[in-house]
Amino acid sequence: MKFVRTKSGNLTGLISLFLLVITGLLGLFAPILMPHDPFAVDIAKKFSVPSWDYPLGTDHLGRCILSRLLLGIRYSLGSALIIQLVAIVLAILLGAFVALKRGLIDFLFIRLCDILLAFPTLVLAFGLLGILGPSLKNVLIALIFTQLIYYARMIRGLFIGINEKDFVQAARITGTTGIQLIRRHYIPNLLPSIVTIVALDIGKVILEIAGFSFIGLGVQAPIPEWGMMINEGKQYMRQHPELMLYPGLAIILVVLLFNQLANRLKRLD
Amino acid sequence: MTLLEVKNIEKYYAQRPFLFKRGQEAPVLENVTFSLQEGECLGIVGQSGSGKSTLGRIILGIERPTNGELIFQGVNLYEAPSKEKKMIRRNLQAVFQNSYHSFNPKQTIFEILEEPFLNFEHFSKAERQQKVRELLDCVELEWAMAQNYPSQLSGGQQQRVNIARALALKPKLIVLDEAISSLDMILQKTIIELLQRLQKELQLAYLFISHDLQATRFMSDRILVMQHGQLVEEIGKDGTYQHPASQALYNAILPSHPRERKKKDRPN
């Protein structure tokens, strides 16, 4: 595969990819790997120090922190992946539609995007969450929406750029239209740029999900989302800073890895 | 029999639109009318910016004219229902100047050449392979080349693949928009010979758009000269050039040897 071949000289990218795949697998197999039930409250064991039984100790309710971190991968990383995937697929459909239609629909679409993009993304997502109410599902909806606006506009631009290329016109003359045109000519040529942008934004989305949970607008306790874990730990910051430290480090690490990977992808382009 | 009729085609491009106001409109084509017979090669020459490529693009349906009619095989292309239009358009193919850019860089030669069949025929994979093999044969290329990407081919080979793609649907008319202008002289000659052989074998008509009067004269039965978006002169194969625009193009042809240069052109 070309991707792997060009990457082989490129250690940082490979290491990031490797570590992210491992993280993903840890999240996927969390139920098997978890040493304890992450929801099992045992007040008698609260704030226990790391031991063989509890590798990272327990939190203020005596729950195993390692188990919670492992299950949290699903909420932090998993939701971010779902958000990006759904947003980019919808954006491709929407952006392709307006780019090929042009005319009034395109004009209205661009004006609407301009208006929505005038708000900072976070403010827009706050507004949506305020209306929908805090929950994991609504965080997904709000972030998919804000990412969608941004991506759809970008993909429209990419499509229009390719529209003018000679090979698309040559394909039209040989009778290729609609979906076939998109599948054979647009997507293969745009995929590298799209993958890079999606990867570049995953870090941002993870931070946003954690941020929403931290301020109480996102995932609700007792779900072990990393931002939520920091939120829960902040009451005990002076006595037990590790409650915030572990999920905080996990967030930093995953976001850093994604940014590294995206940076390398960008240079491949 | 008349294959293509171009009637009073006009094209204006809007310049610098501002907010909701349309800008001034610049004429690119004015009142262009001509017809093309079956099996004929009609040359269109003119300087850069004379509107000859725009005319080609309008005939191919990439652009719509502001006014005018286009009648191909007796059907008005701007009034026909879209399904019928698609069936008629398959008889109208093109070869562009920049052969490399007219290929999708992510497709192999085989994928490029099978695309017309995927669009119009219900062939099995084996049949498509057979067809692509025939096409490559037709333009004197090896079948082994089919697995290559366009970037791995030389300019002459690329232009042959382009011609092969245009031939795939057995069209009646091929628009050659500066199709040989970017090739060297020897390649130009081989491609012209290839085009002329195919024309005889398949009863093709060509619309040969070029700024190169010499090559056009060699190819065409009739030549139309364009200037500032208008047709200014029609010349037969060995006709003489009356209009200043035609004479300018004629004088731009370099003689095969410097001693044949006219006296007045010679530097003192």
Side-chain angles (χ1 to χ4, degrees):
Chain A
M1 245 168 74
K2 198 179 170 193
F3 176 75
V4 177
R5 194 162 9 100
T6 19
K7 269 194 99 48
S8 55
N10 195 329
L11 210 57
T12 340
L14 265 187
I15 293 175
S16 329
L17 186 65
F18 178 69
L19 289 177
L20 282 172
V21 169
I22 295 213
T23 317
L25 289 177
L26 285 179
L28 202 62
F29 296 110
I32 307 167
L33 298 169
M34 288 184 306
H36 297 275
D37 178 359
F39 298 103
V41 177
D42 188 351
I43 297 293
K45 285 183 187 160
K46 72 174 180 177
F47 301 126
S48 30
V49 289
S51 62
W52 282 114
D53 207 15
Y54 293 93
L56 291 179
T58 56
D59 67 1
H60 60 291
L61 295 175
R63 296 173 295 193
C64 172
I65 291 181
L66 180 67
S67 308
R68 290 178 67 76
L69 273 183
L70 283 175
L71 195 65
I73 295 173
R74 290 187 165 195
Y75 292 100
S76 292
L77 193 61
S79 327
L81 286 176
I82 290 172
I83 288 170
Q84 289 297 76
L85 220 62
V86 173
I88 199 71
V89 168
L90 290 179
I92 288 175
L93 294 176
L94 191 62
F97 177 73
V98 293
L100 295 178
K101 265 267 183 289
R102 301 305 292 270
L104 186 65
I105 293 177
D106 186 41
F107 180 81
L108 292 176
F109 171 78
I110 283 301
R111 296 305 139 219
L112 185 68
C113 279
D114 281 346
I115 293 168
L116 289 172
L117 284 172
F119 298 100
T121 9
L122 271 179
V123 173
L124 199 61
F126 272 141
L128 270 173
L129 274 177
I131 297 166
L132 296 169
S135 80
L136 179 60
K137 190 187 83 198
N138 291 342
V139 170
L140 290 186
I141 292 173
L143 286 179
I144 284 174
F145 181 71
T146 49
Q147 295 293 92
L148 173 65
I149 306 166
Y150 175 65
Y151 288 153
R153 198 184 197 292
M154 183 192 76
I155 281 175
R156 170 192 169 271
L158 289 175
F159 264 66
I160 287 174
I162 275 212
N163 229 343
E164 305 297 319
K165 296 258 190 222
D166 284 352
F167 68 79
V168 170
Q169 286 170 357
R172 279 178 197 277
I173 289 168
T174 49
T176 314
T177 46
I179 298 288
Q180 294 300 335
L181 198 63
I182 294 174
R183 196 176 62 76
R184 286 188 209 140
H185 298 285
Y186 287 81
I187 300 292
N189 282 289
L190 294 179
L191 207 57
S193 355
I194 293 176
V195 168
T196 308
I197 293 160
V198 170
L200 202 61
D201 278 358
I202 288 185
K204 194 189 86 182
V205 172
I206 292 175
L207 283 178
E208 282 174 1
I209 298 172
F212 285 137
S213 307
F214 180 73
I215 56 174
L217 275 174
V219 181
Q220 298 297 302
I223 292 174
E225 199 277 327
W226 292 344
M228 193 65 225
M229 288 171 71
I230 298 182
N231 184 21
E232 285 181 288
K234 76 173 186 286
Q235 299 159 322
Y236 311 98
M237 193 163 68
R238 282 161 190 273
Q239 304 85 3
H240 297 281
E242 70 274 12
L243 293 193
M244 292 177 79
L245 191 66
Y246 295 137
L249 278 178
I251 292 173
I252 290 174
L253 194 69
V254 169
V255 171
L256 263 179
L257 287 176
F258 264 115
N259 287 351
Q260 272 304 322
L261 182 70
N263 261 331
R264 299 289 141 174
L265 281 175
K266 202 158 65 180
R267 270 178 233 174
L268 281 185
D269 243 6
Chain B
M1 219 181 100
T2 310
L3 184 65
L4 173 77
E5 266 184 89
V6 175
K7 281 188 185 168
N8 307 321
I9 292 275
E10 304 203 329
K11 176 81 185 174
Y12 299 95
Y13 281 126
Q15 279 181 327
R16 272 184 283 144
F18 179 72
L19 221 57
F20 298 105
K21 189 179 152 241
R22 290 211 160 190
Q24 276 217 316
E25 296 194 320
V28 183
L29 290 175
E30 286 179 279
N31 203 10
V32 174
T33 303
F34 66 89
S35 64
L36 197 149
Q37 306 301 314
E38 262 177 40
E40 185 189 22
C41 179
L42 178 65
I44 293 185
V45 290
Q47 289 182 339
S48 303
S50 58
K52 53 191 194 309
S53 278
T54 307
L55 183 61
R57 289 162 66 87
I58 285 173
I59 290 170
L60 289 168
I62 299 171
E63 285 181 46
R64 278 193 79 112
T66 318
N67 294 308
E69 286 181 358
L70 201 61
I71 297 165
F72 186 67
Q73 293 185 307
V75 178
N76 189 329
L77 284 181
Y78 296 120
E79 283 166 12
S82 62
K83 197 143 194 184
E84 193 183 352
K85 208 154 58 183
K86 196 179 170 189
M87 294 317 288
I88 286 176
R89 285 236 176 263
R90 66 174 284 185
N91 287 325
L92 189 57
Q93 295 294 317
V95 178
F96 292 112
Q97 171 176 23
N98 196 325
S99 46
Y100 180 63
H101 286 171
S102 44
F103 299 130
N104 181 348
K106 308 275 170 181
Q107 282 185 320
T108 63
I109 302 302
F110 178 75
E111 285 168 330
I112 290 166
L113 290 179
E114 74 169 347
E115 192 167 342
F117 299 118
L118 289 173
N119 291 333
F120 284 101
E121 318 280 355
H122 299 283
F123 286 157
S124 68
K125 176 107 183 161
E127 282 174 307
R128 288 201 302 272
Q129 274 180 347
Q130 180 57 31
K131 286 281 175 191
V132 170
R133 196 186 283 267
E134 284 170 21
L135 281 176
L136 286 173
D137 246 18
C138 207
V139 293
E140 296 155 19
L141 286 177
E142 303 287 322
W143 163 245
M145 213 161 263
Q147 294 314 313
N148 288 357
Y149 286 91
S151 55
Q152 294 168 308
L153 269 55
S154 72
Q157 289 169 331
Q158 285 172 1
Q159 204 56 300
R160 279 161 199 265
V161 175
N162 241 325
I163 293 169
R165 172 168 62 184
L167 290 174
L169 295 168
K170 298 209 178 357
K172 293 272 187 279
L173 171 65
I174 298 184
V175 177
L176 302 161
D177 187 359
E178 304 275 14
I180 59 168
S181 304
S182 58
L183 304 173
D184 67 54
M185 288 308 236
I186 296 168
L187 260 175
Q188 284 197 5
K189 187 161 172 288
T190 44
I191 296 284
I192 284 181
E193 281 166 1
L194 173 71
L195 287 170
Q196 286 182 329
R197 178 172 67 77
L198 293 169
Q199 185 180 24
K200 272 201 205 92
E201 284 172 16
L202 307 167
Q203 280 93 48
L204 286 168
Y206 290 137
L207 189 68
F208 192 87
I209 299 173
S210 178
H211 61 262
D212 180 354
L213 188 61
Q214 202 172 21
T216 314
R217 269 215 308 179
F218 190 68
M219 268 297 282
S220 315
D221 305 314
R222 275 189 304 146
I223 298 176
L224 301 173
V225 183
M226 284 191 81
Q227 190 187 28
H228 306 313
Q230 287 169 317
L231 291 179
V232 291
E233 193 171 28
E234 183 185 327
I235 327 166
K237 187 152 184 74
D238 302 304
T240 49
Y241 305 89
Q242 307 293 334
H243 195 275
S246 331
Q247 278 172 352
L249 284 168
Y250 183 70
N251 290 334
I253 300 174
L254 285 178
S256 50
H257 193 283
R259 78 173 158 253
E260 286 160 33
R261 256 194 246 167
K262 281 186 221 145
K263 239 191 180 113
K264 64 177 165 69
D265 294 340
R266 228 173 254 166
N268 294 320

